[in-house]
Amino acid sequence: MKRKYKPVLAVVVLIFLVALIGTVSYIISKYTPTKEKMDLNSYYGEMADNEAAIILGTEKLEQRGIISGDRVYLPYDVVSQNLNQRYYWDASGQQMLYATPSELTYAPASSEPDSDVWLRDGTIYLSLSYIQRYTDIDAYISQEPYRVAIQNHFNRVKTVKVKKQTYIRYQGGIKSPVLTEVAEGTVLRFVEEMENWDKVATDDGYIGYVEKKKLGDVEKTTFERNFQGEQYTRITMEEPVNLVWHQIMAAEANSNFANDIANITGVNVISPTWYCLADNSGNINSIASADYVNQAHEMGMKVWGLIDNFTQDVSTTDFLSDTSARQNVISQLIQSACEVGLDGINVDFEALSEDAGAHFLEFLRELCIECHKNNLILSVDNPVPEDFTSHYNWAEQGKVADYVIMMGYDEHYAGSDAGSVASLPWVEKGIQDMLEKIPAERLISAVPFYTRLWKTSGGAVTSDAIGMDQAQQIIADNQVETYWDKNTSQNYGTFEKDNTTYQIWLEDAQSIAVRAKLVPKYKLAGIAEWKLGFENSSIWQVITDNIH
């Protein structure tokens, strides 16, 4: 009987051993990390000959660079949108412009990969060395496949340190293919936290996952840099700016200067509307007057000549996008400013279309160079920030211009529904939005000296812009009782006449005072007023009392 059971026992043992081996093999297979390498051609995507993948920080881009011999080229749009927006393509001149704080540089495009700018099959490429000349970046170039990893963020970057030599994997999980191995002590850029894995990136272009237990805590790291870029300097006033715009429509009006400013107190800058575009070629019309400037200087006021884009039949976009036209305007402005003794230029280009944004910024950069060569202050006027005006790029303006002026009015305007021209919450929100982009010491808040008398008749809404004294006269003539509207911080009145409803949100001593107080509240560079002649003579002391 024992002999009969021996074969059966052997079979059972064998089955058990096979099962045990299978189970152990399964467990080992399941819990042993794979060392399989990720196919990098698949990881970075298919590329044509001499193309290079571009990794920007912690993101793989769809666009491709080009490798030509020992030169590396990146697409202009990648550079402009992500690394340095000051490279400006001059289409008519087939050249790349770069405005430093002190000079405008030119780099002609070539049809061959032998220069800083390569025009290849209709696409503009910039050489890596040209980019690094003006841009603080680190670049890591690798082969098989070709790829260029660019790092351009070095301040307070989220990082983690590798505690133990490990792998960066394509996805979270030990069975995910390996992208690269990282040594103990390696500093990785932190991207995203998951349950057991963290998404990280290496400086040289691998973006993947590492087990959380292999990493230290997330820290904010500032990397030391040796890049020495030229910095913008400022021409500013030692005291808070108190600017009033002086609308002058004809040269003869300059002779009224003494009368127009007779009741002014506290103003240290006057900005006459002397210049406007005459055509798309960059010629300007000027009614500037040296005598006016001399009189202003005798009164202790600086003079910033204003140029606007209000001329009909002149396309601001066409003018701004033409390098020769921009240079023509700048040349004429600087020549006139020097001839009449101006202290600054005020740029008032309004209603800019989105496609004009980049050209407008280039105009400011080029104008700033010449202004500062001639010791002229450059200021630029802007609407209150809205989503649809983001192309004005306030951050870049704040770097280039000496002063940025927020025109805190036209919340409601001719053609809109009835309402305040400049309610306090709307103005204050605009200042707060501006301060996210512009240092307070370069931001000037402009207030209106006008209001609108709104008329609603038969369902139609119209309005007229009127000055302070005229508004008070209307209130008196119609015996209107006004009250302080806490929502707008203005005195409000309404009345009926000839089947018409009239409404008015007054600009007066009370409303101007609360807006002027925003200057010290936010430590702004100063205040501006539109326009001379709309004010009540007592308003000047109100402004002086509240901006300090």
Side-chain angles (χ1 to χ4, degrees):
M1 290 295 293
K2 289 182 180 180
R3 290 177 183 170
K4 290 181 181 181
Y5 284 118
K6 284 182 180 180
V8 174
L9 181 61
V11 169
V12 171
V13 171
L14 181 60
I15 292 172
F16 174 77
L17 290 174
V18 169
L20 179 62
I21 292 170
T23 300
V24 171
S25 297
Y26 170 77
I27 293 172
I28 292 173
S29 174
K30 181 176 180 179
Y31 293 102
T32 299
T34 182
K35 294 183 180 180
E36 175 192 0
K37 288 292 187 92
M38 178 76 184
D39 178 9
L40 294 184
N41 288 295
S42 174
Y43 177 69
Y44 289 110
E46 294 185 7
M47 288 176 281
D49 291 343
N50 297 324
E51 281 191 342
I54 301 173
I55 305 92
L56 178 61
T58 59
E59 179 184 3
K60 292 183 292 182
L61 303 185
E62 293 183 2
Q63 299 97 321
R64 301 302 190 196
I66 303 291
I67 306 290
S68 179
D70 60 353
R71 284 179 175 267
V72 178
Y73 288 86
L74 301 182
Y76 164 56
D77 60 347
V78 169
V79 177
S80 178
Q81 294 169 17
N82 300 287
L83 300 177
N84 188 334
Q85 63 181 314
R86 290 182 186 158
Y87 291 95
Y88 176 84
W89 175 243
D90 174 15
S92 60
Q94 295 289 282
Q95 59 187 342
M96 191 64 64
L97 309 182
Y98 191 91
T100 73
S102 62
E103 66 173 339
L104 181 62
T105 67
Y106 302 81
S110 172
S111 59
E112 301 295 331
D114 56 2
S115 64
D116 289 333
V117 184
W118 181 13
L119 192 55
R120 180 179 186 266
D121 299 330
T123 300
I124 308 161
Y125 291 88
L126 306 184
S127 73
L128 185 59
S129 59
Y130 180 42
I131 298 166
Q132 290 177 311
R133 193 177 307 163
Y134 301 112
T135 314
D136 187 12
I137 61 171
D138 283 339
Y140 303 83
I141 303 166
S142 305
Q143 299 182 17
E144 298 182 1
Y146 277 129
R147 55 197 186 274
V148 182
I150 304 291
Q151 300 297 338
N152 67 325
H153 293 295
F154 306 107
N155 294 320
R156 296 183 61 77
V157 178
K158 286 185 176 182
T159 62
V160 287
K161 185 176 289 187
V162 178
K163 294 194 296 186
K164 183 179 181 181
Q165 182 172 332
T166 188
Y167 296 109
I168 296 180
R169 299 184 179 276
Y170 175 55
Q171 294 177 326
I174 61 174
K175 295 303 181 183
S176 182
V178 172
L179 291 175
T180 189
E181 189 172 3
V182 286
E184 179 182 344
T186 302
V187 175
L188 303 173
R189 292 177 181 246
F190 178 83
V191 180
E192 182 182 3
E193 182 180 13
M194 304 181 73
E195 186 175 355
N196 297 312
W197 295 75
D198 283 341
K199 188 175 184 181
V200 297
T202 65
D203 280 350
D204 59 351
Y206 294 103
I207 305 165
Y209 296 83
V210 173
E211 286 184 283
K212 189 184 295 289
K213 64 184 180 181
K214 301 288 183 64
L215 301 172
D217 295 333
V218 178
E219 299 179 351
K220 289 187 177 180
T221 302
T222 295
F223 297 89
E224 292 187 7
R225 308 299 300 158
N226 295 318
F227 180 80
Q228 296 294 325
E230 188 177 357
Q231 300 297 315
Y232 277 93
T233 56
R234 306 290 164 202
I235 305 176
T236 56
M237 297 179 59
E238 294 181 359
E239 57 185 340
V241 173
N242 185 357
L243 176 151
V244 66
W245 281 291
H246 190 189
Q247 188 174 32
I248 297 178
M249 307 300 290
E252 297 78 19
N254 287 318
S255 61
N256 296 327
F257 175 81
N259 289 330
D260 291 345
I261 62 121
N263 295 316
I264 282 182
T265 60
V267 170
N268 53 21
V269 179
I270 191 165
S271 181
T273 59
W274 277 344
Y275 306 106
C276 65
L277 303 176
D279 55 40
N280 290 337
S281 298
N283 293 305
I284 65 173
N285 292 322
S286 169
I287 52 174
S289 163
D291 184 58
Y292 179 110
V293 173
N294 291 334
Q295 290 183 70
H297 286 170
E298 290 175 2
M299 299 294 295
M301 289 185 283
K302 305 290 187 182
V303 184
W304 297 355
L306 179 147
I307 180 169
D308 66 46
N309 65 333
F310 303 156
T311 309
Q312 290 186 348
D313 301 324
V314 174
S315 168
T316 306
T317 302
D318 289 348
F319 143 66
L320 288 173
S321 59
D322 186 329
T323 295
S324 63
R326 291 194 310 273
Q327 292 294 309
N328 191 19
V329 166
I330 292 169
S331 175
Q332 292 175 73
L333 274 177
I334 298 301
Q335 181 179 347
S336 177
C338 293
E339 287 175 351
V340 303
L342 285 180
D343 305 287
I345 299 292
N346 177 238
V347 178
D348 188 24
F349 286 180
E350 299 187 23
L352 294 177
S353 61
E354 187 171 353
D355 58 353
H359 308 301
F360 177 57
L361 293 170
E362 181 63 15
F363 172 70
L364 293 179
R365 296 184 195 111
E366 294 172 9
L367 178 57
C368 176
I369 293 169
E370 300 306 317
C371 279
H372 285 190
K373 284 181 181 178
N374 292 277
N375 199 35
L376 294 167
I377 288 175
L378 174 60
S379 61
V380 56
D381 306 335
N382 284 266
V384 171
E386 303 285 357
D387 290 342
F388 58 84
T389 57
S390 61
H391 56 281
Y392 279 72
N393 198 329
W394 305 290
E396 181 69 1
Q397 285 191 38
K399 294 173 184 175
V400 175
D402 297 306
Y403 292 109
V404 176
I405 302 177
M406 188 192 82
M407 299 181 292
Y409 35 82
D410 286 344
E411 178 182 8
H412 294 88
Y413 48 89
S416 77
D417 295 335
S420 169
V421 167
S423 68
L424 182 64
W426 181 76
V427 171
E428 189 163 13
K429 175 64 163 54
I431 290 173
Q432 292 168 349
D433 289 344
M434 279 282 199
L435 289 176
E436 292 181 2
K437 308 291 185 180
I438 299 170
E441 64 270 18
R442 290 205 290 280
L443 181 61
I444 296 172
S445 175
V447 299
F449 278 166
Y450 69 95
T451 186
R452 286 191 173 275
L453 178 62
W454 297 92
K455 310 168 193 175
T456 304
S457 179
V461 179
T462 59
S463 66
D464 295 314
I466 58 177
M468 291 182 176
D469 286 340
Q470 186 179 354
Q472 291 298 334
Q473 189 63 51
I474 290 171
I475 293 297
D477 289 347
N478 292 280
Q479 298 180 336
V480 180
E481 291 188 16
T482 61
Y483 68 88
W484 184 252
D485 178 5
K486 293 182 179 178
N487 293 323
T488 62
S489 289
Q490 289 170 291
N491 284 303
Y492 169 78
T494 183
F495 61 96
E496 301 285 336
K497 185 176 181 180
D498 299 330
N499 296 319
T500 299
T501 300
Y502 291 84
Q503 294 173 278
I504 191 165
W505 285 262
L506 292 168
E507 293 298 346
D508 53 22
Q510 283 182 278
S511 69
I512 294 298
V514 294
R515 285 154 185 77
K517 288 177 181 177
L518 297 176
V519 173
K521 178 178 179 179
Y522 290 101
K523 300 179 180 177
L524 304 181
I527 195 167
E529 304 94 21
W530 178 265
K531 66 177 180 171
L532 184 62
F534 271 168
E535 80 283 3
N536 179 285
S537 59
S538 64
I539 208 69
W540 299 112
Q541 191 61 48
V542 173
I543 292 172
T544 299
D545 290 343
N546 287 284
I547 64 170
H548 295 285

